[in-house]
Amino acid sequence: MDEPEEKVGTVPGLRRALAALLALTLQAAACGPGGDARGPAAGAAARAPHDLLLVTLDTARADRFSYAGPSPVDTPVADSLAREGAAFLAALAPSPITLVSHASLFTGQEPPRHGVRNNGEFALAAEAMTLAELLGERGWRTAAFVGAAVLDARYGLDQGFETYDDAIDGSDAAGMFSYARRSGDRVVEAALDWLAGAGRGRTFVWVHLYDPHAPYLPPEPERSRYAAHPYDGAIAFSDRVVGRLLDGYRRSGRLRDTLVVLTADHGESLGEHGESTHGVFIYDATVRIPLVVRGPGIAAGTRVHTPVSLIDVMPTVLSAVGIEPPATVTGLDLGPLLRGETSPAATHFLESLLPRLSYGWSPLYGLRTERWKLIRGVAPELYDLQADPAELVDLAAREPEVVRRLSRDLAARLEVESPATARELEVDAATRRQLAALGYVSAPGADRAAAGGEELPDPRRRIAVMERMNAAMSRFSEGDEGGGIADLERIVAAEPGNLAAAFNLAQLRFRSGDYAGAAEAYGAAAELAPADARYREYQGLALERAGRLEEGLVALERALAIEPDRAGARALRWRLLAALGRTHELLASLEAAVADDPGDGAARVMLLRARFGAEPGDELIAALAAAHRELPRDPAVASALAHALQARGDSQAAEPLYRQVLEQIPGDHDSSLFLGRRALARGDAAQARRILEAGVRKHPDRSAMQIAVAQARLASGDFPGANRALAAAERLDPRSPDLWLTGAELRIRENRADEAWRALERAAALGRPAPELWRQLSALYRRSGRAEEAARAARRAEQP
């Protein structure tokens, strides 16, 4: 039997009434930390939680947790939490997108209300009220530790956290193009280190574990135990890591009075409905999630079958600690369900805008009740979840009244779109590469390409193409660059109107050093999306790298005709004018830009270089120093002054300037190189790696950055990592002497003397003799008993 129709407008009032009732109950009963030592069930009503621990497992399907029923994965830690507390067996995420669901979790709002609709392109604005802010305002110490760049602080979830640890050096990562994640054991280690110094006040700690996200790379023993199903191994590893986290709380004496919430942002399709991972569809494979709550006030062994949403976590937690949720929260306090009371039937909102925002396909919206699932895309879908939990039989044509009723409710939920609590971000190419490293392969402006009145493509009909694109990107990242590019070329040939395929082909060609081919593909993308200036800007950059400066200038002129104030295209145009010697035109353009905006640091720097020359003479340094005094926080001015001082040999004066730039622009190329090399010179290989790994994530196509990363990895004993970086550098610039010198040092360390000899010969041919390395090679030959080769290497060391 179906539930009664929900009146959307009654939910906030009901939620506030229930929250107020529970808050009064808790305030009357609470006696602070301490209480009965018999466990969370006995005596729990006599105290409120002293601490809050929230753990979100990225990409965790609900059916992989054995507390919920038969599962191919052993999850003893989650099972223990469920036995000691409450398990919600029909918990739902509002979206299969990491940032979107986490924004809902922390605001208690559905995506149309908080406004964050996709990874990378949106950020939660300061106007939003988050769980961390509400607790921090009341004196709680707050700290977050995230496992992937998709939740960087720039996306707004850092609001209210006094510590927001998103430092990901990439040493444990793998992905489409670059390192952008850290393993769960390292995230937990950082969290426990913070907890050890947190004092005895109330704490809220959020730990985000990314390990179940593709590519699935569980360590031992899970790698061997689940060799045939690495996703299951990643879930098992995450469960074990959560156990380590709870052990740390137990040792600190905090666990008994800590409210522990274990949940996920979304699930994983694993091939269901043709989707291998997640992001496009909103079937239960990707929106049903684990949710376990354990702590004071929670009766042991509670099992809740009523569907609930991730947006309900915030008001539930706030009520548990005696705080009235703000009126902006639309989630429901789950306290009545935890106490075994009945709850009014609710419909839960679902969406994925990734199809539209990333591919130009139809977006998907949905509503889910205990029985029905409605999905609205190009055509409605309706599933009877009681009879068809796998969502294989579409009943939309047979149940038109249910479709109409749920469609009315869905339309009401969408009326609040475009609020002021989110902002859209300009996503640069480096950030898109970083998102691609996490598996979120997309093309900018795809939604614009599909505009114009025509019906958007149905994601159900296009999912196979997306899977083929993702497979090509993965093939490229796994080392078969030619194969990945060829696969994408076949897709583009078969579908010349596929913007995402054209853009991704351009990205792969650019990444491989085929700048001419990248320029061609960017140009094809620009023809498909003529209103988007980004493609012409990227085309101009590729043409510059290919040495075709005049053509690059034309591409940039076309970009600026579309978007006259586009900063990246404008700066690149100035650079090409300078390289082409068109000084009069360059000066006129720069003088006009500075007159229009005297605070434009990039224009000021280019103008000064045009006037005084690029060489770091006294006049240029004096002019840059004056500009820096006038614009002390402008990174372009600080970087230019640092570069000039460094070129003059004053590295001591340059260092604080480069540090300023790196703080403002994490991963900045010149700052990362300078500071990483300085750390290496001091013998601090760990610091060098942290700086340079961040730099290479933003600039994987720069040979000097790859070589510096190889040197840092070599210094820390990571020979396989050094080899990978050198291989990338060789593809980009095989004529770099530093490439061969670093390779020679690595081969010596690996006891591969003959390969070291060949590398040193290449470096010498490029004009870089290396007497110290020849001497080290001579010693290696002697240790190997090869006296003749040792003598030859020694003689080479003495040659000028």
Side-chain angles (χ1 to χ4, degrees):
M1 181 176 175
D2 193 20
E3 305 82 17
E5 182 172 345
E6 180 193 20
K7 301 297 183 183
V8 176
T10 66
V11 173
L14 173 63
R15 190 266 306 148
R16 285 193 291 271
L18 292 172
L21 178 61
L22 182 57
L24 288 172
T25 302
L26 287 168
Q27 289 166 3
C31 62
D36 197 317
R38 290 172 290 172
R47 67 182 190 278
H50 182 262
D51 297 277
L52 170 62
L53 171 62
L54 171 64
V55 180
T56 57
L57 306 178
D58 211 292
T59 323
R61 281 175 66 117
D63 63 6
R64 269 11 187 213
F65 293 82
S66 44
Y67 70 78
S71 167
V73 187
D74 289 329
T75 52
V77 175
D79 297 350
S80 176
L81 287 172
R83 284 194 305 272
E84 297 173 359
F88 291 87
L89 301 177
L92 302 167
S95 171
I97 305 295
T98 296
L99 182 63
V100 180
S101 279
H102 278 92
S104 288
L105 172 66
F106 284 112
T107 63
Q109 296 178 322
E110 293 166 348
R113 287 188 177 273
H114 62 64
V116 176
R117 315 304 284 273
N118 200 12
N119 287 331
E121 299 171 79
F122 294 84
L124 194 65
E127 291 81 2
M129 180 59 68
T130 68
L131 176 60
E133 287 178 296
L134 290 166
L135 295 176
E137 288 172 357
R138 289 159 175 81
W140 291 56
R141 297 204 62 190
T142 56
F145 305 87
V146 303
V150 70
L151 295 179
D152 278 352
R154 67 179 294 212
Y155 301 121
L157 296 187
D158 62 330
Q159 293 172 202
F161 287 106
E162 61 179 271
T163 295
Y164 195 88
D165 184 350
D166 58 357
I168 301 168
D169 63 21
S171 59
D172 299 321
M176 291 285 182
F177 294 107
S178 59
Y179 301 101
R181 60 196 282 178
R182 56 176 170 175
S183 66
D185 51 0
R186 296 182 60 229
V187 177
V188 165
E189 180 184 1
L192 292 177
D193 285 347
W194 180 90
L195 189 68
R200 299 310 303 171
R202 306 183 85 175
T203 63
F204 167 35
V205 175
W206 166 40
V207 172
H208 166 252
L209 303 179
Y210 198 73
D211 305 272
H213 196 287
Y216 318 122
L217 302 169
E220 296 294 354
E222 290 84 9
R223 179 181 301 170
S224 297
R225 184 178 179 189
Y226 296 93
H229 301 284
Y231 172 76
D232 293 347
I235 294 287
F237 170 66
S238 296
D239 186 77
R240 175 162 63 88
V241 167
V242 173
R244 185 182 305 175
L245 178 63
L246 296 176
D247 286 343
Y249 268 77
R250 187 175 290 109
R251 289 191 302 271
S252 72
R254 290 181 178 269
L255 184 61
R256 186 173 61 112
D257 294 303
T258 294
L259 181 64
V260 180
V261 179
L262 175 69
T263 188
D265 56 350
H266 54 73
E268 189 80 318
S269 280
L270 299 178
E272 294 185 27
H273 298 92
E275 184 179 32
S276 62
T277 55
H278 63 272
V280 174
F281 293 141
I282 53 175
Y283 301 111
D284 271 13
T286 60
V287 298
R288 276 197 70 172
I289 55 173
L291 176 59
V292 178
V293 182
R294 177 263 192 213
I298 310 296
T302 301
R303 296 173 75 80
V304 179
H305 295 271
T306 302
V308 301
S309 174
L310 203 59
I311 69 171
D312 301 331
V313 171
M314 178 189 183
T316 303
V317 166
L318 289 174
S319 292
V321 299
I323 299 173
E324 169 71 10
T328 56
V329 170
T330 55
L332 291 171
D333 171 27
L334 302 178
L337 290 175
L338 290 171
R339 296 192 295 272
E341 302 172 15
T342 59
S343 178
T347 57
H348 299 289
F349 177 84
L350 309 167
E351 75 165 32
S352 177
L353 268 64
L354 182 141
R356 177 170 68 85
L357 296 174
S358 294
Y359 295 103
W361 305 338
S362 171
L364 297 175
Y365 301 101
L367 279 186
R368 190 192 191 280
T369 71
E370 192 162 1
R371 178 180 178 185
W372 297 108
K373 164 84 72 72
L374 171 74
I375 300 174
R376 295 298 310 224
V378 172
E381 302 171 60
L382 182 71
Y383 300 97
D384 184 342
L385 300 173
Q386 293 175 357
D388 177 26
E391 299 165 282
L392 299 176
V393 181
D394 182 0
L395 300 177
R398 288 164 50 184
E399 298 283 354
E401 181 53 38
V402 177
V403 171
R404 280 194 293 271
R405 176 172 58 81
L406 292 176
S407 295
R408 286 196 303 268
D409 287 354
L410 179 60
R413 304 287 258 273
L414 290 170
E415 285 179 354
V416 296
E417 282 192 283
S418 303
T421 52
R423 52 194 171 89
E424 291 194 46
L425 297 178
E426 173 67 25
V427 185
D428 59 21
T431 300
R432 289 192 181 276
R433 282 195 297 267
Q434 193 172 38
L435 290 168
L438 303 172
Y440 302 108
V441 182
S442 64
D447 58 317
R448 299 198 247 318
E454 68 220 61
E455 185 177 88
L456 296 170
D458 187 341
R460 291 178 295 176
R461 306 285 184 266
R462 310 299 294 158
I463 191 67
V465 177
M466 191 194 78
E467 292 292 317
R468 288 169 58 201
M469 285 192 289
N470 287 346
M473 304 287 276
S474 294
R475 186 175 182 183
F476 182 98
S477 72
E478 290 163 3
D480 185 3
E481 295 191 355
I485 290 172
D487 287 347
L488 267 177
E489 287 172 340
R490 283 189 283 271
I491 294 172
V492 170
E495 299 193 15
N498 188 323
L499 174 62
F503 173 73
N504 287 330
L505 175 60
Q507 293 285 77
L508 294 194
R509 285 176 172 172
F510 191 97
R511 176 68 180 81
S512 69
D514 178 10
Y515 300 123
E520 179 186 6
Y522 283 132
E527 293 297 326
L528 294 171
D532 195 321
R534 282 173 282 196
Y535 299 111
R536 291 300 180 191
E537 179 185 328
Y538 298 159
Q539 184 185 31
L541 177 62
L543 288 166
E544 180 199 33
R545 295 283 182 88
R548 293 156 58 181
L549 305 189
E550 291 284 1
E551 294 174 72
L553 194 59
V554 171
L556 293 166
E557 297 284 5
R558 296 178 72 178
L560 291 167
I562 300 167
E563 190 177 337
D565 294 329
R566 186 166 182 83
R570 189 177 58 170
L572 183 54
R573 175 178 176 270
W574 290 333
R575 194 164 75 208
L576 291 186
L577 287 174
L580 289 166
R582 293 163 62 169
T583 306
H584 179 74
E585 186 177 353
L586 173 63
L587 281 169
S589 178
L590 289 168
E591 287 168 351
V594 172
D596 183 59
D597 181 7
D600 185 338
R604 290 277 292 272
V605 167
M606 290 292 294
L607 179 58
L608 293 175
R609 285 174 171 165
R611 285 176 175 170
F612 300 112
E615 293 301 315
D618 292 340
E619 285 184 305
L620 176 61
I621 290 178
L624 288 171
H628 182 59
R629 287 191 296 272
E630 188 177 337
L631 302 172
R633 297 300 299 165
D634 189 283
V637 174
S639 180
L641 179 56
H643 182 77
L645 291 169
Q646 177 193 359
R648 285 280 292 265
D650 193 352
S651 294
Q652 185 173 354
E655 183 163 352
L657 293 166
Y658 277 129
R659 291 195 182 282
Q660 172 194 330
V661 174
L662 201 61
E663 287 175 4
Q664 294 176 278
I665 309 175
D668 174 72
H669 181 268
D670 291 347
S671 303
S672 297
L673 271 182
F674 177 88
L675 295 171
R677 288 167 172 167
R678 292 277 283 185
L680 270 180
R682 294 194 302 268
D684 190 345
Q687 175 72 358
R689 283 194 71 159
R690 281 192 292 273
I691 294 170
L692 292 167
E693 299 276 10
V696 83
R697 286 200 300 273
K698 291 199 73 169
H699 304 282
D701 58 307
R702 305 295 287 272
S703 175
M705 187 67 73
Q706 293 283 5
I707 293 169
V709 167
Q711 291 166 347
R713 292 174 179 172
L714 175 59
S716 63
D718 178 9
F719 296 168
N723 272 304
R724 288 194 300 272
L726 286 176
E730 184 176 357
R731 288 192 298 269
L732 293 166
D733 184 10
R735 292 191 55 77
S736 167
D738 288 337
L739 164 70
W740 299 105
L741 290 176
T742 305
E745 184 178 358
L746 176 59
R747 300 296 173 256
I748 292 169
R749 296 276 297 276
E750 292 176 323
N751 294 317
R752 294 158 65 180
D754 292 344
E755 292 178 49
W757 183 291
R758 287 193 291 271
L760 283 172
E761 290 277 19
R762 291 288 298 270
L766 292 168
R768 288 291 296 274
E772 178 55 35
L773 286 178
W774 282 111
R775 283 190 281 272
Q776 291 180 25
L777 181 58
S778 177
L780 174 58
Y781 276 129
R782 283 197 302 275
R783 290 195 299 273
S784 305
R786 299 170 64 177
E788 183 176 346
E789 287 91 339
R792 286 176 57 207
R795 289 194 295 272
R796 290 297 300 268
E798 303 306 319
Q799 292 180 6

